[in-house]
Amino acid sequence: MVKLVNPLYYPVAVLVGGLTLFVGVRLGNLSSLVMIPVASGLAVAGASFLKSREGEVLELDNPELEREILAVKTSALALAKQANGMRLEVQKLLTDTFHVELLTTVSMSCDRADELPGKLDKLVVNLHHTNSLLSIEALQQQLTEVKKKLPSSSGVAKRHLNQLADSLKRNVKLAQEGEDTRLGRIINIATLIQDFSGVLQKLQTRLRTSDLNDAEQINGLQLIADELGSLADNLDLVV
């Protein structure tokens, strides 16, 4: 649906409205009471159409933050597409009863990746309607949750948890100093999306080359799937 916008920001739309009013009143001898609403409507409709042809603009108060958000939303859509393809593939490959745990773990992680673009949209709305500074208490709570996860994590998930902990510590300091911490949060999300995509690709490659009747190889795949689940947890925490 085309969103109505102020035509004053679009001179071409104002020109079209003005010409419509001139032609209708001066050349068509129509009443100005009729033509003014018509011309105004054309100007608004034209401005709305021109805006719809532009790229998405978030209208935040931080241009760098806006660029990062648009980039991370694109990455999230690509990840959702990748995850949907992976879900269909595992459903075809993992058909035996002893595949159930692996199938469930991978499917749940893919479902959460599929939900990510919608969650990011909600996050952007919140960034418009809340103070630009994250609550220090909320940041410290996130840091506590990350520290709880570290002992039971491994591989890429553990590496990123350590990075996330360091980032949250910096954000707590920035928030205490009155700085905007939103950019760091979006960069954390972008990094997690890349890590998730990498592990998903690794799992897909191993699935295609493994003997799915070999219990040891299934256990190896399960470890990768668990890593994927940990990354999904981390994304939920940050988003």
mmCIF file of all heavy atoms in Angstrom, residues 7 17 21 35-46:
data_model
loop_
_atom_site.group_PDB
_atom_site.id
_atom_site.type_symbol
_atom_site.label_atom_id
_atom_site.label_comp_id
_atom_site.label_asym_id
_atom_site.label_seq_id
_atom_site.Cartn_x
_atom_site.Cartn_y
_atom_site.Cartn_z
ATOM 1 N N PRO A 7 3.629 16.467 0.184
ATOM 2 C CA PRO A 7 4.082 16.765 -1.185
ATOM 3 C C PRO A 7 5.115 17.884 -1.249
ATOM 4 O O PRO A 7 5.800 18.030 -2.258
ATOM 5 C CB PRO A 7 2.787 17.154 -1.904
ATOM 6 C CG PRO A 7 1.870 17.622 -0.830
ATOM 7 C CD PRO A 7 2.201 16.777 0.377
ATOM 8 N N GLY A 17 0.378 19.259 -9.254
ATOM 9 C CA GLY A 17 -0.839 19.756 -8.623
ATOM 10 C C GLY A 17 -1.161 21.172 -9.053
ATOM 11 O O GLY A 17 -2.324 21.507 -9.339
ATOM 12 N N LEU A 21 -4.437 22.554 -11.189
ATOM 13 C CA LEU A 21 -5.310 23.627 -10.712
ATOM 14 C C LEU A 21 -5.429 24.726 -11.773
ATOM 15 O O LEU A 21 -6.536 25.219 -12.057
ATOM 16 C CB LEU A 21 -4.742 24.203 -9.419
ATOM 17 C CG LEU A 21 -5.528 25.348 -8.773
ATOM 18 C CD1 LEU A 21 -6.938 24.889 -8.398
ATOM 19 C CD2 LEU A 21 -4.786 25.878 -7.546
ATOM 20 N N MET A 35 -11.578 22.213 -8.049
ATOM 21 C CA MET A 35 -10.226 21.921 -8.519
ATOM 22 C C MET A 35 -9.173 21.913 -7.414
ATOM 23 O O MET A 35 -8.172 21.200 -7.519
ATOM 24 C CB MET A 35 -9.826 22.931 -9.603
ATOM 25 C CG MET A 35 -10.592 22.747 -10.911
ATOM 26 S SD MET A 35 -10.505 21.031 -11.502
ATOM 27 C CE MET A 35 -8.741 20.764 -11.629
ATOM 28 N N ILE A 36 -9.371 22.709 -6.362
ATOM 29 C CA ILE A 36 -8.359 22.727 -5.283
ATOM 30 C C ILE A 36 -8.213 21.350 -4.632
ATOM 31 O O ILE A 36 -7.090 20.839 -4.472
ATOM 32 C CB ILE A 36 -8.685 23.815 -4.245
ATOM 33 C CG1 ILE A 36 -8.399 25.197 -4.852
ATOM 34 C CG2 ILE A 36 -7.858 23.614 -2.973
ATOM 35 C CD1 ILE A 36 -8.786 26.360 -3.952
ATOM 36 N N PRO A 37 -9.333 20.687 -4.241
ATOM 37 C CA PRO A 37 -9.180 19.336 -3.679
ATOM 38 C C PRO A 37 -8.588 18.343 -4.679
ATOM 39 O O PRO A 37 -7.789 17.481 -4.305
ATOM 40 C CB PRO A 37 -10.609 18.954 -3.308
ATOM 41 C CG PRO A 37 -11.328 20.236 -3.139
ATOM 42 C CD PRO A 37 -10.725 21.157 -4.158
ATOM 43 N N VAL A 38 -8.977 18.472 -5.957
ATOM 44 C CA VAL A 38 -8.450 17.566 -6.991
ATOM 45 C C VAL A 38 -6.947 17.757 -7.144
ATOM 46 O O VAL A 38 -6.171 16.792 -7.182
ATOM 47 C CB VAL A 38 -9.162 17.797 -8.333
ATOM 48 C CG1 VAL A 38 -8.466 17.013 -9.451
ATOM 49 C CG2 VAL A 38 -10.624 17.401 -8.245
ATOM 50 N N ALA A 39 -6.518 19.016 -7.229
ATOM 51 C CA ALA A 39 -5.095 19.310 -7.398
ATOM 52 C C ALA A 39 -4.294 18.859 -6.176
ATOM 53 O O ALA A 39 -3.194 18.304 -6.299
ATOM 54 C CB ALA A 39 -4.899 20.802 -7.647
ATOM 55 N N SER A 40 -4.860 19.097 -4.990
ATOM 56 C CA SER A 40 -4.178 18.681 -3.756
ATOM 57 C C SER A 40 -4.040 17.164 -3.703
ATOM 58 O O SER A 40 -2.989 16.626 -3.318
ATOM 59 C CB SER A 40 -4.957 19.170 -2.533
ATOM 60 O OG SER A 40 -5.033 20.578 -2.518
ATOM 61 N N GLY A 41 -5.115 16.484 -4.090
ATOM 62 C CA GLY A 41 -5.081 15.020 -4.097
ATOM 63 C C GLY A 41 -4.041 14.480 -5.049
ATOM 64 O O GLY A 41 -3.326 13.527 -4.731
ATOM 65 N N LEU A 42 -3.930 15.101 -6.231
ATOM 66 C CA LEU A 42 -2.923 14.674 -7.198
ATOM 67 C C LEU A 42 -1.506 14.916 -6.664
ATOM 68 O O LEU A 42 -0.602 14.095 -6.873
ATOM 69 C CB LEU A 42 -3.111 15.417 -8.516
ATOM 70 C CG LEU A 42 -4.238 14.911 -9.426
ATOM 71 C CD1 LEU A 42 -4.400 15.833 -10.622
ATOM 72 C CD2 LEU A 42 -3.932 13.491 -9.897
ATOM 73 N N ALA A 43 -1.315 16.033 -5.985
ATOM 74 C CA ALA A 43 0.005 16.346 -5.437
ATOM 75 C C ALA A 43 0.407 15.325 -4.373
ATOM 76 O O ALA A 43 1.543 14.828 -4.350
ATOM 77 C CB ALA A 43 0.013 17.753 -4.852
ATOM 78 N N VAL A 44 -0.539 15.009 -3.490
ATOM 79 C CA VAL A 44 -0.254 14.034 -2.426
ATOM 80 C C VAL A 44 -0.008 12.651 -3.022
ATOM 81 O O VAL A 44 0.929 11.941 -2.641
ATOM 82 C CB VAL A 44 -1.422 13.978 -1.415
ATOM 83 C CG1 VAL A 44 -1.233 12.821 -0.441
ATOM 84 C CG2 VAL A 44 -1.513 15.300 -0.657
ATOM 85 N N ALA A 45 -0.860 12.259 -3.982
ATOM 86 C CA ALA A 45 -0.698 10.949 -4.614
ATOM 87 C C ALA A 45 0.636 10.858 -5.352
ATOM 88 O O ALA A 45 1.333 9.845 -5.298
ATOM 89 C CB ALA A 45 -1.855 10.678 -5.569
ATOM 90 N N GLY A 46 1.005 11.944 -6.034
ATOM 91 C CA GLY A 46 2.275 11.955 -6.758
ATOM 92 C C GLY A 46 3.460 11.853 -5.816
ATOM 93 O O GLY A 46 4.419 11.125 -6.078
#
